[in-house]
Amino acid sequence: MKKILLVGCGHMGEALLTSWLKSNNYYVTVIDPIKYNYLKNNYKNKKIQIFKSVSKIDKHFNTDFIIFAVKPFDLKNVLDEFSEVEFKKTCIVISIIAGKRIKEFKNRLKKIKYFFRVMPNLPASIGESMNCITANKNMSKFRKNQVLKIFNYSGRSIYLKDENEIDMATAISGSGPGFVFNLIDAMEKAAIGLGFNTNIARTLVLQTFKGSVNLIQENKKSAKDLVKSVATKGGTTEAGLKVMNKKNLHKLFLQSTSEAFKRAKDQSK
């Protein structure tokens, strides 16, 4: 059974942890000083080890994968703590930290050869993540498949050609759930504003989103073509879309994703 060392167990780290535990194919060790007690209480019947710090693990800790899921501003101190740890020659380092480039890990963890950077998203907790993956140059297909397998338990995974595309994906699939939840919240409030109670508003909106996503996945038409299918001339949808077009919804989304992309690039500096 392959071993994973998960460093940091915030929202994203715990979402991935949940998917690995469901698979029963990995032995997981978690390091998180802030959530230590929470993890001990909530995962006490699971086959995982939980530590408060790197200093608590064996110096010759034998793991196949180290996955860094800490906050970007905590990374420097965390990497300092790993300076005394001896790694397996085949150990693979994976970062899921937004904006943090592979170069930073290579410069600090000089005894390791294999580095990956992955951008998952929050739906990993229910096996519906969008995982975008890239690696340092000349990575073997064997090791790429190893990392692909780890993340496929949490959803769908694709390889991107370089880290710039990872930053781009951070703005779309990484931040995307937040944008979608914001849209859902806006539509729920609009439904309540029309006179529906909270429960009915939520049911109407969530099923509308779910059905629309399923339809476009089953359909060969583009989203733009499907808009035309719903918006008959002189109809209710057309009336609503005119307001969206007047407010330039497409431009708003372009600005939102561009700002998220800029932030991802800034975090790498």
Side-chain angles (χ1 to χ4, degrees), residues 12 15-16 18-19 120-129 131 153-155:
M12 197 65 256
L16 292 169
T18 301
S19 72
N121 63 14
L122 196 56
S125 60
I126 58 165
E128 292 288 349
S129 181
N131 305 307
Y153 287 113
S154 63

Side-chain angles (χ1 to χ4, degrees), residues 140-156:
S140 69
K141 186 175 180 180
F142 170 72
R143 288 189 172 81
K144 284 184 175 181
N145 285 338
Q146 282 187 302
V147 173
L148 197 66
K149 183 179 178 182
I150 288 175
F151 285 91
N152 276 347
Y153 287 113
S154 63
R156 182 176 179 180

Side-chain angles (χ1 to χ4, degrees), residues 1-268:
M1 185 178 286
K2 294 290 185 180
K3 296 179 181 179
I4 294 174
L5 173 61
L6 176 64
V7 186
C9 197
H11 293 306
M12 197 65 256
E14 189 171 5
L16 292 169
L17 174 63
T18 301
S19 72
W20 299 326
L21 293 178
K22 286 178 181 177
S23 77
N24 291 316
N25 285 326
Y26 297 98
Y27 187 83
V28 185
T29 298
V30 181
I31 298 174
D32 194 307
I34 296 172
K35 294 181 70 175
Y36 175 78
N37 290 329
Y38 163 82
L39 293 168
K40 277 285 189 183
N41 291 331
N42 285 270
Y43 292 90
K44 58 185 176 183
N45 295 322
K46 304 292 184 180
K47 293 181 179 178
I48 65 172
Q49 284 185 303
I50 303 165
F51 295 100
K52 279 189 175 181
S53 69
V54 178
S55 63
K56 300 296 182 182
I57 66 173
D58 192 303
K59 180 181 177 181
H60 302 284
F61 188 73
N62 192 17
T63 189
D64 299 288
F65 307 95
I66 305 174
I67 299 181
F68 288 93
V70 299
K71 291 181 174 62
F73 51 79
D74 288 332
L75 181 60
K76 183 181 182 300
N77 290 336
V78 170
L79 289 178
D80 284 343
E81 291 179 357
F82 273 87
S83 61
E84 299 299 320
V85 179
E86 297 291 333
F87 303 100
K88 285 174 66 174
K89 289 184 178 180
T90 56
C91 182
I92 292 173
V93 165
I94 303 167
S95 168
I96 66 166
I97 305 170
K100 291 301 179 181
R101 294 189 167 261
I102 287 173
K103 179 174 68 175
E104 184 165 352
F105 292 88
K106 288 181 70 175
N107 289 342
R108 302 293 298 282
L109 303 174
K110 296 184 181 298
K111 294 181 180 180
I112 294 182
K113 297 180 181 178
Y114 312 111
F115 296 89
F116 285 77
R117 185 176 165 196
V118 182
M119 177 46 60
N121 63 14
L122 196 56
S125 60
I126 58 165
E128 292 288 349
S129 181
M130 179 68 256
N131 305 307
C132 298
I133 308 172
T134 196
N136 58 320
K137 291 182 180 180
N138 304 316
M139 189 64 66
S140 69
K141 186 175 180 180
F142 170 72
R143 288 189 172 81
K144 284 184 175 181
N145 285 338
Q146 282 187 302
V147 173
L148 197 66
K149 183 179 178 182
I150 288 175
F151 285 91
N152 276 347
Y153 287 113
S154 63
R156 182 176 179 180
S157 303
I158 59 172
Y159 268 94
L160 299 178
K161 65 180 181 181
D162 56 36
E163 292 193 80
N164 188 59
E165 287 197 343
I166 290 287
D167 290 334
M168 290 160 59
T170 300
I172 302 299
S173 58
S175 298
F179 301 153
V180 172
F181 297 147
N182 202 29
L183 280 174
I184 290 172
D185 181 54
M187 282 191 69
E188 286 182 353
K189 284 182 170 63
I192 293 168
L194 289 174
F196 288 112
N197 67 42
T198 301
N199 289 336
I200 291 177
R202 185 174 178 82
T203 300
L204 290 173
V205 173
L206 292 186
Q207 183 56 38
T208 299
F209 267 81
K210 182 180 178 181
S212 300
V213 169
N214 289 342
L215 176 60
I216 199 169
Q217 287 182 326
E218 297 286 332
N219 205 299
K220 292 183 179 179
K221 291 183 178 180
S222 67
K224 185 177 180 180
D225 287 337
L226 286 171
V227 169
K228 294 176 183 177
S229 298
V230 182
T232 54
K233 190 170 179 60
T236 58
T237 307
E238 184 187 60
L241 286 170
K242 282 182 179 179
V243 177
M244 288 187 180
N245 292 335
K246 188 175 181 179
K247 298 292 184 181
N248 208 334
L249 182 66
H250 286 71
K251 183 178 180 180
L252 179 62
F253 262 84
L254 178 60
Q255 290 173 337
S256 299
T257 54
S258 295
E259 194 63 28
F261 175 54
K262 180 177 179 293
R263 179 59 58 87
K265 299 287 282 185
D266 288 344
Q267 286 177 331
S268 69

